[in-house]
Amino acid sequence: QKEVEQNSGPLSVPEGAIASLNCTYSDRGSQSFFWYRQYSGKSPELIMFIYSNGDKEDGRFTAQLNKASQYVSLLIRDSQPSDSATYLCAVASGAGSYQLTFGKGTKLSVIP
Amino acid sequence: SAVISQKPSRDICQRGTSLTIQCQVDSQVTMMFWYRQQPGQSLTLIATANQGSEATYESGFVIDKFPISRPNLTFSTLTVSNMSPEDSSIYLCSVKTDWEGGTQYFGPGTRLLVL
């Protein structure tokens, strides 16, 4: 069974700090990795995706992938109170690599 | 990205009844998905809806309970049949774009409460 593990949190960081969110996955055949942000009462919103080992940066967000360790992370620099949300890690695997398996999410709280 | 709408946004239903949820996309997409998110939980895939073929259901979900239609490349419906309080959940449709590396985008969701 494919599993995606995340610390449920809550993870509390002060405003302006770096928030580090981690995710591990069980299926070595996984191809694509996604981070979604979900505000309370809202649907998931895509932040970033990453396919290749290494880092991928987009503004204040950096996704890091290590396929050998089956580990993917999301760094949020200069954290803002508006970043307070649940962050969902999703992994695509299976035929055509289109089926997403979601972790349970990490709740992030940025303290002003 | 794709713009996705869902109807209804929320509903309160009596047990034993059925509700059909609609999902509309602003562009043609090959693959649409239906997810359930129970209170405080993450997303669970119910089924994949492909235009022109039967939906593919995940383990634990059956067509009699969650019939799905996909009449064209921009529209799909999910019916929650013979509802019980355990069906109270958020139901989300998503689409896999044929560009942007196959990223999935989510609709706003339908919040269902079964009494």
Side-chain angles (χ1 to χ4, degrees):
Chain A
Q1 179 154 348
K2 300 165 189 171
E3 295 183 345
V4 177
E5 301 287 342
Q6 295 181 254
N7 290 327
S8 61
L11 172 66
S12 294
V13 299
E15 183 174 357
I18 297 175
S20 178
L21 304 164
N22 303 317
C23 172
T24 59
Y25 58 94
S26 63
D27 184 2
R28 283 198 170 272
S30 300
Q31 299 293 319
S32 311
F33 307 85
F34 303 85
W35 283 100
Y36 288 87
R37 177 175 62 197
Q38 187 172 28
Y39 292 113
S40 180
K42 301 295 186 181
S43 64
E45 170 192 11
L46 180 72
I47 297 177
M48 291 188 70
F49 59 87
I50 187 168
Y51 304 136
S52 303
N53 278 327
D55 295 0
K56 179 181 179 182
E57 186 174 321
D58 184 0
R60 295 188 296 113
F61 299 96
T62 299
Q64 300 174 316
L65 175 60
N66 184 326
K67 289 187 178 180
S69 299
Q70 296 176 243
Y71 175 90
V72 59
S73 66
L74 179 70
L75 300 178
I76 306 175
R77 290 182 300 280
D78 188 24
S79 295
Q80 301 297 309
S82 58
D83 294 326
S84 298
T86 297
Y87 289 79
L88 301 170
C89 173
V91 176
S93 55
S97 294
Y98 61 81
Q99 292 181 318
L100 291 185
T101 301
F102 282 84
K104 292 185 176 180
T106 298
K107 187 171 184 178
L108 173 66
S109 180
V110 180
I111 310 302
Chain B
S1 65
V3 177
I4 306 166
S5 60
Q6 283 186 238
K7 290 181 181 179
S9 59
R10 61 179 67 236
D11 207 342
I12 300 173
C13 301
Q14 297 296 321
R15 69 172 66 206
T17 63
S18 297
L19 176 71
T20 295
I21 302 168
Q22 299 179 4
C23 180
Q24 180 77 51
V25 191
D26 70 339
S27 56
Q28 293 185 343
V29 292
T30 304
M31 302 185 78
M32 297 178 75
F33 305 89
W34 287 98
Y35 289 84
R36 179 173 73 183
Q37 187 174 30
Q38 295 181 305
Q41 301 297 313
S42 191
L43 283 75
T44 301
L45 180 64
I46 297 172
T48 302
N50 300 315
Q51 194 269 337
S53 65
E54 294 285 334
T56 303
Y57 289 84
E58 297 301 304
S59 177
F61 298 96
V62 295
I63 188 171
D64 290 346
K65 176 67 175 178
F66 297 102
I68 288 171
S69 78
R70 181 82 196 273
N72 57 53
L73 291 174
T74 64
F75 187 79
S76 179
T77 67
L78 169 75
T79 298
V80 186
S81 303
N82 188 25
M83 289 184 284
S84 67
E86 291 71 34
D87 294 319
S88 297
S89 188
I90 300 173
Y91 292 86
L92 295 145
C93 72
S94 77
V95 302
K96 173 182 172 294
T97 59
D98 295 329
W99 59 98
E100 295 179 295
T103 300
Q104 286 191 29
Y105 294 94
F106 285 85
T110 296
R111 285 154 183 76
L112 171 62
L113 176 63
V114 184
L115 302 177

